[in-house]
Amino acid sequence: MRILAPALLLLAAPALATTVIDPAGDILSSYTGPPRASLDVLVAQAHYLPNTLRLSARVAGGIPDDVDQLYVWGVNRGAGTPRLTGGTPPLGAGVNFDAVVVVRGNGTGSVVTFGAGAPVNNPLPPEFITVSGSGVRVFVPFNLLPSTGFDIADYGYNLWPRYLSGSNTQIADFAPDDSTFTASAIPEPASWALMIAGFGLVGGTLRRRRLAA
């Protein structure tokens, strides 16, 4: 067991992504927009690439090419507050954020940060966004999400699809419900090499034990 321990430690490298599974059919009772399965989140993910955040989701139906259909990721960089509780009806008591990443059904999007002054809106290049079938993915450079107190590893995320902006009655779902989750890092190439070496060490040790037996 002492021989295997180093290899097992190598295999305990960071997970590829943090995945949130959201129940199907849990559309908010306050939602008054059009009934669309594409507004029902099934899976939300967040993970880190070098200098870049990748956010992705899968929903219960095909996403229409519609500028009014929005996927909003709230981001808590350290100064997040439950901003949606001030809307009508008040929602998201546990969803703290001080920035949002917005992706529209037509493949456009932006990053909006909140601070002491007016919100700052940074449009994202279309090549950073993929909307296909029932999936949506967006890459966000970290320089568009500067810290307001947290280390990047501690940023919190929540995804809420909505139809149109404005009233909270247009928010269809939260993933996760009334809370946030943090992202995981993708291992760097050196980490991948260590992980592969770990697999090799485990395999070699098992082969030697079989030969000895």
Side-chain angles (χ1 to χ4, degrees):
M1 191 65 182
R2 287 192 297 271
I3 295 175
L4 289 177
L8 295 177
L9 288 175
L10 291 175
L11 297 180
L16 291 183
T18 296
T19 300
V20 171
I21 305 300
D22 195 59
D26 64 335
I27 297 297
L28 299 176
S29 60
S30 56
Y31 176 65
T32 60
R36 293 181 176 179
S38 55
L39 293 168
D40 183 10
V41 180
L42 301 179
V43 178
Q45 289 185 329
H47 66 241
Y48 297 145
L49 297 158
N51 304 312
T52 306
L53 167 69
R54 190 179 86 176
L55 299 168
S56 57
R58 182 166 59 85
V59 293
I63 300 172
D65 182 3
D66 187 344
V67 69
D68 293 325
Q69 181 149 320
L70 311 176
Y71 297 90
V72 183
W73 276 270
V75 184
N76 183 6
R77 301 169 293 148
T81 58
R83 293 172 176 268
L84 296 174
T85 58
T88 303
L91 296 176
V95 181
N96 296 335
F97 61 98
D98 55 15
V100 292
V101 178
V102 181
V103 174
R104 303 174 186 88
N106 68 346
T108 62
S110 60
V111 177
V112 182
T113 54
F114 306 102
V120 177
N121 182 75
N122 288 292
L124 289 168
E127 60 267 25
F128 286 15
I129 298 169
T130 301
V131 179
S132 178
S134 60
V136 56
R137 182 179 64 191
V138 57
F139 294 91
V140 183
F142 276 126
N143 62 3
L144 296 182
L145 291 170
S147 173
T148 57
F150 284 170
D151 290 335
I152 287 175
D154 297 322
Y155 282 17
Y157 304 94
N158 187 292
L159 169 62
W160 58 89
R162 61 179 302 145
Y163 185 77
L164 297 173
S165 58
S167 170
N168 281 355
T169 61
Q170 303 301 318
I171 296 175
D173 195 5
F174 284 105
D177 295 338
D178 290 332
S179 63
T180 58
F181 66 101
T182 57
S184 295
I186 288 184
E188 298 289 341
S191 297
W192 280 116
L194 288 174
M195 291 174 69
I196 292 169
F199 279 116
L201 180 57
V202 172
T205 301
L206 292 177
R207 283 195 297 274
R208 286 193 297 274
R209 287 187 173 183
R210 284 198 296 269
L211 290 173

